[in-house]
Amino acid sequence: MTKAVLLLECPDRKGLVAAIMNFLVAEYDANILHAGQHQDAELGRFFMRVEFECEDHLLHERVFEQRFTRIADEYRMRWQLAESHRRLRVCLFVSQHLHCLADLLQRHKAGELECEIALVIGNHPDGEALTNFYGIPFYTLPVRGNKAAVEEEQQRLLREHRVDLVVLARYMQILSSEFVEQWPARIINVHHSFLPAFIGSKPYHAAFARGVKLIGATSHYVTADLDEGPIIDQDVTRVTQGDTIPDLIRKGRDLERVVLSRAVRWHLEHRILHYDNKTVIFD
Amino acid sequence: MTKAVLLLECPDRKGLVAAIMNFLVAEYDANILHAGQHQDAELGRFFMRVEFECEDHLLHERVFEQRFTRIADEYRMRWQLAESHRRLRVCLFVSQHLHCLADLLQRHKAGELECEIALVIGNHPDGEALTNFYGIPFYTLPVRGNKAAVEEEQQRLLREHRVDLVVLARYMQILSSEFVEQWPARIINVHHSFLPAFIGSKPYHAAFARGVKLIGATSHYVTADLDEGPIIDQDVTRVTQGDTIPDLIRKGRDLERVVLSRAVRWHLEHRILHYDNKTVIFD
Amino acid sequence: MTKAVLLLECPDRKGLVAAIMNFLVAEYDANILHAGQHQDAELGRFFMRVEFECEDHLLHERVFEQRFTRIADEYRMRWQLAESHRRLRVCLFVSQHLHCLADLLQRHKAGELECEIALVIGNHPDGEALTNFYGIPFYTLPVRGNKAAVEEEQQRLLREHRVDLVVLARYMQILSSEFVEQWPARIINVHHSFLPAFIGSKPYHAAFARGVKLIGATSHYVTADLDEGPIIDQDVTRVTQGDTIPDLIRKGRDLERVVLSRAVRWHLEHRILHYDNKTVIFD
Amino acid sequence: MTKAVLLLECPDRKGLVAAIMNFLVAEYDANILHAGQHQDAELGRFFMRVEFECEDHLLHERVFEQRFTRIADEYRMRWQLAESHRRLRVCLFVSQHLHCLADLLQRHKAGELECEIALVIGNHPDGEALTNFYGIPFYTLPVRGNKAAVEEEQQRLLREHRVDLVVLARYMQILSSEFVEQWPARIINVHHSFLPAFIGSKPYHAAFARGVKLIGATSHYVTADLDEGPIIDQDVTRVTQGDTIPDLIRKGRDLERVVLSRAVRWHLEHRILHYDNKTVIFD
């Protein structure tokens, strides 16, 4: 048996769910393992995720596409099918703070993240030893006034390694909008604040200056507008007057690890749809 | 247009969702407003909640039952249909701590709880003035060695007021198993601990003695086994060595209000299925 | 025995704590019940709260002041002494959303807030019946292009009722900076967002539009800069794509009740020092 | 300048704080960096932590002891002085789940844990490569019906490496009470439930069976009574009917990492006093 996930979005209409379910059962004799749906009443849009299994030989992406096109066209769907045996290929970007890198590598090793980590790219060499320990190639591409050339090399490496998803694991360089636009909803970043509060650099310093009682972290898809992309996950923790800026940074690292790794896992498990600069998360 | 909620549970089988959706669209020309489902792979059971709207004249419970029986029988469903215009009738039980009573009455007044609060029963008169302020009748039935007679009178009042749901809003008497068995999954209690820790009386004292760093509260359906019924909601808050038992009690009240009112709201909105001493909550 | 709280702030210096403690024991034979301190290393400032008890006849504010002045002057302290038997007098301001008002009145009745609620002022009459139920006078002062006159009348009522603290319990009018400046660190507001995110009106709508995964509420002292005053408490709760704006508003009410009532209790218990647009909370 | 932490516990008495502060200033010309205190009114006990700095040559543990004895005896104190430049030596115990090990090693490397990790002992070899990557020796001591002999060897290694603190980083063997009694309040364990709920083995399975809506993790000092030692930290996360046992295990790992690493850090920073099977945490 093969498992697959069908993710789709379309204008809301009567008969939609029945049509999809009938198709999966009639054409694929599918067992539905999980199904989740969301309706945005205001925008009149419908979102669905169906996880199903069927006989191996039935599920070829091409064939599925041919068969499903009739329904997809009728209901004007934006859709994708992901077979579970096809693991996404991931590239991590990192700078000098290694806590998210170490966390993702360990989670991957422990089987928590169903993907291939194809390579890690750093603008500093700090993450190299740990990355290599896990048997993954590391490329150091320093950025010093040569961003365009570096980005070209990064893109080349991503193509060469057939990467599906880029994860900015506390990568401290800003990617150009040209770069970002080639990876729509395929770059995940972690910002060390509770967005939209404290956009930009040094958010823990800004949070300290404002005297907030909670600090946060946010994982989001990267768009051309810095820190403005669709939010995937957020979390917060309590701070007091006794917490200095280094304390905020330390407490924040625990949040960053959690919100980034959850976002990556959800993406890998095809649990995220994005629309209107928001995300729908199916759990 | 009329809104209604269909809640059902049955053995998991292929074609189930399509069959239900086809039925609602074909027979009722229904707009599906929300649909949620859950599968328990281990037990092979399927759970679903569908909120839909259709023309008023189409939806008569009797007629729905006649039509739906074919599918319900085929798939061996346990099911219920609730029309939104039929508001459940609720009775609150209370003793001397009035924080949950005051909270539920205010939420009801503010339109947060879609029900009729038909009456309040207290074993002490403390809640009478506030209940009457909200225009709701209050009955004082003291319990002093006459529990059987009091329960008979309580049951009479519940029948007389055609009550659908009983809410124990910090009612400090234990209901007999005879009483409880007449209201399966229709009595909601709040226990002032994070169950299953600190079962029984004085849970805050027990939590203090154990030196826990978080205290909790739990709302659950009442079964004949005290504090052992299906859990509906739980929440916790942090405590420190500086918190005395009165502090725990005060902090706990905030948790009790929230977990009890959420449980009541979910029940009123037909969001809860129970099975195997657990609950499925559709959100 | 009388209980009292000494709150103070001064430049940090050696011997400070010993000097204070020696004074309290030598001059007042005091039992120290709780003591908390905070140092801001960057600003070189010291903050302390001491809760103590001593013989009744010893503690007269005038006499304390005479005696303590020597130390206070030596260490250049800003300080205040509050005797526990002197309950602060509070005025609540309210508009049409009554959840915070109902919550504060019930907590006060239950003994959770050690104060006199001297009066409630509304720009709408909605809160009158509930306020009167609790035996508290209610004044309706509608604001329709006559803000200056209304504020004059509000100030007159506050003086007449000898009010120490003003609590804006979802009061939807903006107070003039002239008004605010007469009540430094003596007006507490609740803002229905996780400040500094979503400053201004309709924060839940803004949070919905941005697609955040957590919403929050903030209690703070009011200063002339709207939503910019020292933050006292904040809390958040999780939201999903399934939550509509009315859901956010409902979930937010639970946060508002908690952060506002905590802020009020902390103020009443003299647990808050403010400096540099921040607060120090002693627990 | 040298930094040091003085931790003490004694019967509560007047003049205590002044006496301690006077001593530190008069004898050591100390700058007080932080001071925290706690009083247990019921037991009449006083707890204090003072972090201070003074000239290097002044602070020799022997000399401090000689001088401080007068006060300590007078007030019947249990006390300890820790100089910050003396880093505690830690041994981690591990089995086959490596997430806590990897987390502690990475935090140590990043400077978050001020200690020497002297060695790691595993009853399985799984953690060896990662431990060695960080330059730390790893000893594999399988436990198969030879617990007494293994514990003797473990004790020998702990002595040889002059270990101050043992951390059970998901070590799945139960230490004998003979072993435990030699390390009072010097063994920290993480239990994968919200204690006292779900004591014993397979707590996630038990939590799943009970249908709880939150799962937790607890770090605590190990005593001869399994899972009954003084609790240091706890945390919880929300689960739903959609979470299977493997999901609970995965979600729980995030809690385990956080509560264990916090407990270790607090111990290393001398922030924990234990009494009456509870802990006092100074932050």
Side-chain angles (χ1 to χ4, degrees):
Chain A
M1 301 288 274
T2 293
K3 289 187 187 181
V5 173
L6 176 64
L7 264 181
L8 61 87
E9 183 207 336
C10 61
D12 199 5
R13 259 181 60 188
K14 278 180 194 170
L16 199 43
V17 174
I20 295 161
M21 292 305 196
N22 282 333
F23 170 83
L24 290 174
V25 173
E27 301 274 328
Y28 284 96
D29 195 32
N31 288 320
I32 309 301
L33 301 173
H34 295 286
Q37 59 193 80
H38 168 62
Q39 282 149 290
D40 187 312
E42 208 181 330
L43 300 181
R45 295 201 71 76
F46 176 85
F47 306 84
M48 190 166 201
R49 179 185 186 271
V50 188
E51 197 176 332
F52 62 95
E53 62 180 4
C54 62
E55 294 295 325
D56 286 16
H57 63 278
L58 288 172
L59 205 69
H60 296 284
E61 280 187 40
R62 284 287 171 73
V63 181
F64 187 92
E65 185 167 353
Q66 283 179 348
R67 295 182 183 180
F68 194 62
T69 292
R70 185 182 49 80
I71 293 175
D73 287 353
E74 184 184 341
Y75 290 94
R76 288 186 288 141
M77 292 178 184
R78 192 163 63 95
W79 67 277
Q80 64 172 97
L81 180 79
E83 294 174 72
S84 299
H85 65 80
R86 155 115 167 73
R87 292 152 66 94
L88 294 189
R89 297 177 61 78
V90 176
C91 175
L92 310 180
F93 278 43
V94 71
S95 292
Q96 294 178 287
H97 296 297
L98 304 185
H99 55 285
C100 284
L101 175 71
D103 183 67
L104 291 169
L105 292 173
Q106 198 278 328
R107 288 178 196 265
H108 179 253
K109 173 83 172 178
E112 204 173 297
L113 301 173
E114 294 277 357
C115 65
E116 302 300 330
I117 299 183
L119 75 162
V120 178
I121 295 174
N123 62 325
H124 292 273
D126 305 58
E128 179 159 21
L130 186 66
T131 302
N132 291 344
F133 169 77
Y134 284 104
I136 295 166
F138 186 97
Y139 299 85
T140 305
L141 301 177
V143 182
R144 298 191 198 88
N146 56 342
K147 188 190 275 192
V150 167
E151 289 197 348
E152 202 167 307
E153 176 63 6
Q154 290 168 339
Q155 296 277 21
R156 197 192 61 72
L157 284 168
L158 296 178
R159 281 192 304 272
E160 179 185 312
H161 287 271
R162 307 184 320 282
V163 164
D164 299 295
L165 175 71
V166 173
V167 178
L168 308 183
R170 295 300 310 276
Y171 181 65
M172 304 309 279
Q173 296 289 324
I174 295 171
L175 297 172
S176 71
S177 52
E178 291 72 31
F179 188 107
V180 168
E181 277 156 14
Q182 292 188 45
W183 296 85
R186 289 167 70 202
I187 307 175
I188 295 176
N189 183 39
V190 61
H191 183 75
H192 38 314
S193 86
F194 179 82
L195 287 176
F198 310 124
I199 280 173
S201 70
K202 302 232 171 211
Y204 292 129
H205 291 71
F208 182 81
R210 180 62 184 91
V212 293
K213 300 301 186 184
L214 298 168
I215 57 165
T218 303
S219 52
H220 63 95
Y221 285 123
V222 176
T223 59
D225 293 321
L226 187 66
D227 302 337
E228 298 283 359
I231 292 171
I232 302 172
D233 195 25
Q234 304 189 286
D235 214 340
V236 297
T237 197
R238 201 158 277 279
V239 296
T240 75
Q241 63 265 3
D243 288 305
T244 60
I245 290 175
D247 291 327
L248 301 197
I249 292 170
R250 174 179 49 72
K251 287 185 167 189
R253 285 198 293 257
D254 281 343
L255 301 175
E256 295 163 27
R257 275 186 271 252
V258 167
V259 299
L260 180 59
S261 62
R262 277 203 294 241
V264 171
R265 189 168 54 78
W266 292 342
H267 184 98
L268 296 175
E269 294 174 3
H270 312 288
R271 296 185 180 281
I272 314 179
L273 274 172
H274 66 100
Y275 79 111
D276 200 24
N277 209 38
K278 298 183 186 183
T279 60
V280 174
I281 312 289
F282 295 101
D283 54 28
Chain B
M1 301 289 273
T2 294
K3 289 187 188 180
V5 173
L6 176 65
L7 264 182
L8 61 88
E9 182 207 335
C10 61
D12 200 3
R13 260 181 59 187
K14 278 180 193 171
L16 201 41
V17 172
I20 295 161
M21 292 304 197
N22 282 333
F23 171 84
L24 289 174
V25 173
E27 302 274 327
Y28 285 96
D29 194 31
N31 288 320
I32 309 301
L33 302 173
H34 295 286
Q37 58 192 82
H38 169 61
Q39 282 149 290
D40 187 314
E42 209 181 332
L43 300 181
R45 295 200 71 77
F46 176 85
F47 306 84
M48 191 166 200
R49 178 183 187 272
V50 188
E51 196 175 332
F52 61 96
E53 62 180 5
C54 61
E55 295 295 324
D56 286 17
H57 64 279
L58 288 170
L59 205 69
H60 295 284
E61 281 187 39
R62 283 288 170 74
V63 180
F64 187 92
E65 185 168 353
Q66 282 179 351
R67 294 182 183 180
F68 194 61
T69 292
R70 185 182 51 77
I71 292 175
D73 287 354
E74 183 185 340
Y75 289 95
R76 290 185 289 141
M77 292 177 184
R78 193 163 64 92
W79 66 278
Q80 63 171 98
L81 181 80
E83 294 175 74
S84 298
H85 65 81
R86 156 117 166 72
R87 292 152 65 96
L88 294 189
R89 296 178 60 79
V90 175
C91 175
L92 310 181
F93 278 43
V94 71
S95 293
Q96 293 176 287
H97 296 297
L98 304 185
H99 55 284
C100 283
L101 175 71
D103 184 67
L104 291 169
L105 291 173
Q106 198 278 327
R107 287 178 196 266
H108 179 254
K109 173 84 171 178
E112 203 172 299
L113 301 173
E114 293 277 357
C115 65
E116 302 300 330
I117 300 183
L119 75 161
V120 178
I121 295 175
N123 62 326
H124 293 273
D126 304 59
E128 180 160 19
L130 186 65
T131 302
N132 290 343
F133 170 77
Y134 284 103
I136 295 166
F138 186 95
Y139 299 85
T140 306
L141 301 177
V143 181
R144 299 191 198 87
N146 58 340
K147 189 191 275 191
V150 167
E151 289 197 347
E152 203 167 305
E153 177 62 7
Q154 290 168 339
Q155 295 278 19
R156 197 190 61 72
L157 284 167
L158 297 178
R159 280 193 304 273
E160 181 184 312
H161 288 272
R162 305 185 320 282
V163 164
D164 299 295
L165 176 70
V166 173
V167 177
L168 308 183
R170 295 300 310 275
Y171 182 65
M172 303 309 279
Q173 296 289 323
I174 296 171
L175 298 172
S176 71
S177 52
E178 290 73 31
F179 188 108
V180 168
E181 278 156 14
Q182 292 188 45
W183 295 85
R186 290 167 70 201
I187 308 175
I188 294 176
N189 184 39
V190 59
H191 182 75
H192 38 312
S193 86
F194 180 81
L195 288 176
F198 310 124
I199 280 172
S201 69
K202 302 232 171 211
Y204 292 130
H205 291 70
F208 182 81
R210 180 61 185 92
V212 293
K213 300 300 186 184
L214 298 169
I215 57 165
T218 303
S219 52
H220 63 94
Y221 284 123
V222 176
T223 58
D225 293 321
L226 188 67
D227 301 337
E228 297 283 0
I231 292 171
I232 302 172
D233 194 24
Q234 304 191 285
D235 214 340
V236 298
T237 197
R238 201 158 278 278
V239 295
T240 74
Q241 63 266 0
D243 287 306
T244 60
I245 290 174
D247 291 326
L248 300 197
I249 291 170
R250 174 178 50 72
K251 287 185 166 187
R253 285 198 293 258
D254 280 343
L255 302 174
E256 295 163 27
R257 275 186 272 252
V258 166
V259 298
L260 180 58
S261 62
R262 277 203 293 240
V264 171
R265 188 167 55 78
W266 292 342
H267 184 98
L268 296 175
E269 295 175 2
H270 312 288
R271 297 186 180 280
I272 314 179
L273 274 172
H274 66 101
Y275 78 110
D276 202 24
N277 209 40
K278 298 182 185 183
T279 60
V280 174
I281 311 290
F282 295 100
D283 52 28
Chain C
M1 301 288 273
T2 294
K3 290 188 188 179
V5 173
L6 176 65
L7 264 182
L8 60 87
E9 183 207 336
C10 61
D12 200 3
R13 259 181 61 187
K14 277 181 195 172
L16 199 43
V17 173
I20 295 160
M21 292 304 196
N22 281 334
F23 171 84
L24 289 174
V25 172
E27 301 274 327
Y28 284 95
D29 194 32
N31 287 320
I32 310 300
L33 302 173
H34 295 287
Q37 58 191 82
H38 168 61
Q39 282 150 291
D40 187 313
E42 210 181 331
L43 300 182
R45 294 199 73 76
F46 176 84
F47 306 84
M48 191 166 200
R49 177 184 187 271
V50 188
E51 196 175 332
F52 62 95
E53 61 180 5
C54 62
E55 294 295 324
D56 285 17
H57 64 278
L58 288 171
L59 205 69
H60 295 284
E61 280 187 42
R62 284 286 171 74
V63 181
F64 187 92
E65 186 167 353
Q66 284 180 348
R67 294 183 183 180
F68 194 62
T69 292
R70 185 183 49 78
I71 293 176
D73 286 354
E74 184 185 341
Y75 290 94
R76 289 185 289 143
M77 292 177 185
R78 193 164 62 94
W79 67 278
Q80 64 172 97
L81 181 80
E83 294 175 74
S84 298
H85 65 81
R86 155 117 166 71
R87 291 152 66 96
L88 294 189
R89 296 177 61 78
V90 175
C91 175
L92 310 181
F93 278 44
V94 71
S95 292
Q96 294 177 285
H97 297 296
L98 303 184
H99 55 284
C100 284
L101 174 71
D103 184 66
L104 291 169
L105 292 173
Q106 198 278 326
R107 287 178 197 266
H108 179 254
K109 172 85 172 177
E112 204 172 300
L113 301 173
E114 294 277 356
C115 66
E116 302 299 330
I117 300 183
L119 75 161
V120 177
I121 295 174
N123 61 326
H124 292 274
D126 305 59
E128 180 159 20
L130 186 66
T131 301
N132 290 343
F133 170 77
Y134 284 103
I136 295 166
F138 186 96
Y139 299 86
T140 305
L141 300 178
V143 182
R144 298 192 199 88
N146 57 341
K147 188 191 274 192
V150 167
E151 289 197 348
E152 202 168 307
E153 176 64 6
Q154 290 168 340
Q155 294 278 20
R156 197 191 61 72
L157 284 169
L158 297 178
R159 280 193 305 272
E160 180 185 311
H161 288 271
R162 307 184 319 284
V163 164
D164 299 294
L165 175 70
V166 173
V167 177
L168 308 183
R170 296 300 310 274
Y171 182 66
M172 304 310 280
Q173 296 289 324
I174 295 171
L175 297 171
S176 71
S177 52
E178 291 72 32
F179 188 107
V180 167
E181 277 155 15
Q182 291 188 47
W183 296 85
R186 289 167 70 201
I187 307 176
I188 295 175
N189 183 39
V190 60
H191 183 74
H192 38 313
S193 86
F194 179 82
L195 288 176
F198 310 124
I199 281 172
S201 70
K202 301 232 172 213
Y204 292 129
H205 291 72
F208 182 81
R210 180 63 186 90
V212 294
K213 300 302 186 182
L214 297 168
I215 57 165
T218 303
S219 52
H220 63 94
Y221 285 124
V222 176
T223 59
D225 293 321
L226 187 67
D227 302 337
E228 298 283 359
I231 291 171
I232 302 172
D233 194 25
Q234 304 190 284
D235 213 339
V236 297
T237 197
R238 201 159 277 278
V239 295
T240 74
Q241 63 266 2
D243 288 306
T244 60
I245 289 174
D247 291 325
L248 301 197
I249 292 170
R250 174 178 48 72
K251 287 186 167 186
R253 285 198 294 256
D254 281 342
L255 302 174
E256 295 163 27
R257 275 185 271 252
V258 166
V259 299
L260 180 59
S261 62
R262 277 202 294 240
V264 171
R265 188 167 55 77
W266 293 341
H267 184 99
L268 296 175
E269 296 175 2
H270 311 287
R271 297 185 180 280
I272 314 180
L273 274 172
H274 66 101
Y275 78 110
D276 201 24
N277 210 39
K278 298 183 187 183
T279 60
V280 175
I281 312 290
F282 294 101
D283 53 26
Chain D
M1 300 290 272
T2 293
K3 289 188 188 180
V5 173
L6 176 65
L7 263 182
L8 61 87
E9 183 207 337
C10 61
D12 199 4
R13 260 181 59 187
K14 278 181 192 170
L16 200 42
V17 173
I20 295 161
M21 292 305 197
N22 282 334
F23 170 84
L24 289 174
V25 173
E27 301 274 328
Y28 284 95
D29 194 32
N31 288 320
I32 308 301
L33 303 172
H34 294 286
Q37 58 192 81
H38 169 61
Q39 282 149 290
D40 187 313
E42 208 182 330
L43 299 181
R45 294 200 72 76
F46 176 84
F47 306 84
M48 191 166 200
R49 178 183 187 272
V50 188
E51 197 175 331
F52 62 96
E53 62 179 5
C54 62
E55 294 295 325
D56 285 15
H57 63 280
L58 288 171
L59 204 69
H60 296 283
E61 279 187 40
R62 283 288 169 73
V63 180
F64 187 91
E65 185 167 354
Q66 284 179 349
R67 295 182 184 179
F68 194 61
T69 292
R70 185 181 51 76
I71 292 175
D73 286 354
E74 183 183 341
Y75 290 95
R76 288 186 289 142
M77 292 177 184
R78 192 163 65 94
W79 66 277
Q80 63 172 97
L81 181 80
E83 294 175 72
S84 298
H85 66 79
R86 155 114 167 74
R87 290 152 66 95
L88 295 189
R89 296 178 60 78
V90 175
C91 175
L92 310 180
F93 278 42
V94 71
S95 292
Q96 294 177 288
H97 297 296
L98 304 184
H99 55 284
C100 283
L101 175 72
D103 183 68
L104 291 169
L105 292 172
Q106 199 278 327
R107 287 178 195 265
H108 179 253
K109 173 83 172 179
E112 203 172 300
L113 302 173
E114 293 278 356
C115 66
E116 302 300 330
I117 300 184
L119 75 161
V120 177
I121 295 175
N123 62 325
H124 292 274
D126 304 58
E128 180 159 20
L130 186 66
T131 302
N132 290 343
F133 170 77
Y134 284 104
I136 295 165
F138 186 96
Y139 298 86
T140 306
L141 301 177
V143 181
R144 299 192 197 89
N146 57 341
K147 188 191 276 192
V150 167
E151 289 197 346
E152 203 168 305
E153 177 63 7
Q154 290 169 339
Q155 295 277 22
R156 197 190 62 73
L157 284 167
L158 296 178
R159 281 192 304 272
E160 181 185 311
H161 288 272
R162 307 185 319 283
V163 165
D164 299 295
L165 175 70
V166 174
V167 178
L168 307 184
R170 295 300 309 276
Y171 182 64
M172 304 310 279
Q173 296 289 324
I174 296 171
L175 297 172
S176 71
S177 52
E178 290 73 31
F179 189 107
V180 168
E181 278 156 14
Q182 292 188 44
W183 295 85
R186 290 167 69 202
I187 308 176
I188 295 176
N189 183 39
V190 60
H191 183 75
H192 37 313
S193 86
F194 179 81
L195 287 176
F198 310 124
I199 281 173
S201 69
K202 302 232 170 210
Y204 292 130
H205 290 72
F208 182 81
R210 180 62 185 91
V212 293
K213 300 301 185 184
L214 298 168
I215 57 165
T218 303
S219 52
H220 63 94
Y221 284 124
V222 176
T223 58
D225 294 321
L226 188 67
D227 302 337
E228 298 284 0
I231 292 170
I232 302 172
D233 193 26
Q234 304 191 284
D235 214 339
V236 298
T237 197
R238 201 158 278 278
V239 295
T240 74
Q241 63 266 1
D243 287 306
T244 61
I245 290 175
D247 291 326
L248 301 197
I249 291 171
R250 175 179 48 73
K251 288 185 166 187
R253 285 198 294 257
D254 281 342
L255 302 174
E256 296 163 27
R257 275 185 272 252
V258 166
V259 299
L260 181 60
S261 62
R262 276 202 294 239
V264 170
R265 189 168 54 78
W266 292 342
H267 184 99
L268 296 176
E269 295 176 2
H270 312 288
R271 297 185 180 279
I272 314 179
L273 274 172
H274 66 100
Y275 80 109
D276 201 24
N277 208 40
K278 298 182 185 182
T279 60
V280 174
I281 311 290
F282 295 101
D283 52 29

